[in-house]
Structures are given as structure tokens and as C-alpha cells.
Amino acid sequence: MSESTATSIPGFKAGTWTIDKTHSSVSFSIRHIVISKVRGTFEDFDATFVTGENPLETSVTASAKVVSINTNEPSRDGHLRTGDFFDAETYPTIDFVSTGMREVKGDYLVDGNITIKGVTKPTTFELEFGGFGGDPYGNYKFGATAKTEVNREDFGLTYNAALETGGMLLGDKVTITLELQAALNA
């Protein structure tokens, strides 16, 4: 792990940042019937980033409301909210709390714990900074993309069905992709 300073990321500023929901997204994809992927989003989410003088001192807390799941198929979304999958009534949110940030060979990694359906497991998001800058309304913002992969079965999401042609209806690996834009609080 290499040392990093605030000057190593152009435009970096210390402070508390609030997610700009209109310019951000929380999406996922999972293998479906072996041959393709189903993609979806969580429409209702929140996140706060606290940056220190050193970018590696950054902390993140984030949450997505399970009832806001959207795969563009209402009956599937309803099924995903049930006990077969997320059990949204008992476990209304998916949460992430960072435990640290590190730089490895010029790449930034955000380590933390993700909680899905009441089960907490460590995960690491690969972070790609889009940059920092002002918007036309006087807000100072940053943009980034973060991506991780989790095994849904580790979180008790074990529903599946065998296919007549072989294989299973759903894959185990879920890719989570976050497109982030956040504003520095005044």
C-alpha cells in the first residue's frame, strides 16, 4: 500500500459530502438462465462521505431501500421483496459502512461491511474517481464509480430453480455498481 496525500487527487477537498441522488445510481446485475444478465436498480438510496486531509482517511455510510428495487418487471420486483429473496418487510435496507480506504498500484479500494437481509459480510469496492469540480449552481462536487461483487447466497438469498436445459435460473454472483456524484456540504 502506498502513501497518498491530498495533492495526489486533483481537486480533492476535506469535508462532508452528501450524495446527489438525481445524478447517482445504485445498480446490480446477476446471471439469468445461464445465457444473459438481469439488471436492476434501487431507486431510493442515501450516502454520506467524510473526507479527511488525506484521501485514505475517507469514510462512507450508505443505504438503499429494498422496496425501491426496480428490474423493469413489476411481478419480479414484487417477488424480490418477499421472503424468497430480500424480505423487505423484515429487512427494509441494504447498508454499507466503510472500514478503510487504500491505494494499491494507483487504484483506490474502499473496504467495508455490507449488510443484506440481516447478514453482514466484508466487501471491497473498486473506486474510479471521475474528478472534482463546481457545478453551475455554486456546489463543489465529486464524481466516482464504485464496483464490487458479492455472492448472494452468503446473505441468505438462496432461492433458485433448475432449468430443463441444465443449469440454474440464477447465478450466485451479483455485481453492484454505484455511479456517484456528491456535493460538499457548505
Side-chain angles (χ1 to χ4, degrees):
M1 181 164 61
S2 64
E3 293 284 321
S4 181
T5 64
T7 58
S8 67
I9 301 175
F12 179 88
K13 291 184 180 182
T16 300
W17 304 73
T18 302
I19 195 79
D20 177 346
K21 294 180 189 182
T22 61
H23 296 104
S24 300
S25 65
V26 175
S27 62
F28 62 90
S29 65
I30 184 170
R31 183 73 55 193
H32 184 251
I33 64 168
V34 184
I35 60 170
S36 64
K37 291 184 180 179
V38 168
R39 299 180 189 284
T41 60
F42 290 94
E43 303 292 326
D44 192 356
F45 55 89
D46 201 5
T48 301
F49 309 85
V50 178
T51 53
E53 292 300 322
N54 179 330
L56 300 181
E57 296 169 356
T58 297
S59 65
V60 180
T61 56
S63 182
K65 291 187 180 176
V66 173
V67 296
S68 73
I69 198 166
N70 181 357
T71 63
N72 292 317
E73 173 51 52
S75 63
R76 176 176 46 217
D77 296 343
H79 189 203
L80 288 169
R81 293 179 188 110
T82 71
D84 281 347
F85 288 97
F86 291 104
D87 192 1
E89 191 171 309
T90 306
Y91 307 102
T93 60
I94 295 172
D95 300 296
F96 177 78
V97 177
S98 67
T99 57
M101 185 168 159
R102 55 196 164 104
E103 182 181 3
V104 178
K105 298 180 183 177
D107 294 325
Y108 290 96
L109 304 172
V110 179
D111 300 311
N113 293 310
I114 190 168
T115 302
I116 302 172
K117 202 174 178 180
V119 177
T120 302
K121 298 280 184 182
T123 193
T124 298
F125 279 90
E126 297 174 7
L127 184 67
E128 177 186 339
F129 279 109
F132 293 83
D135 71 11
Y137 309 103
N139 300 302
Y140 193 72
K141 294 188 166 186
F142 81 80
T145 300
K147 187 181 277 191
T148 193
E149 185 176 89
V150 297
N151 184 325
R152 67 186 181 89
E153 291 187 346
D154 290 346
F155 299 93
L157 300 170
T158 57
Y159 176 89
N160 219 336
L163 300 172
E164 289 181 20
T165 55
M168 300 300 285
L169 177 67
L170 299 171
D172 296 335
K173 295 177 183 174
V174 178
T175 301
I176 301 169
T177 304
L178 312 174
E179 294 296 339
L180 306 168
Q181 191 176 113
L184 183 62
N185 295 350

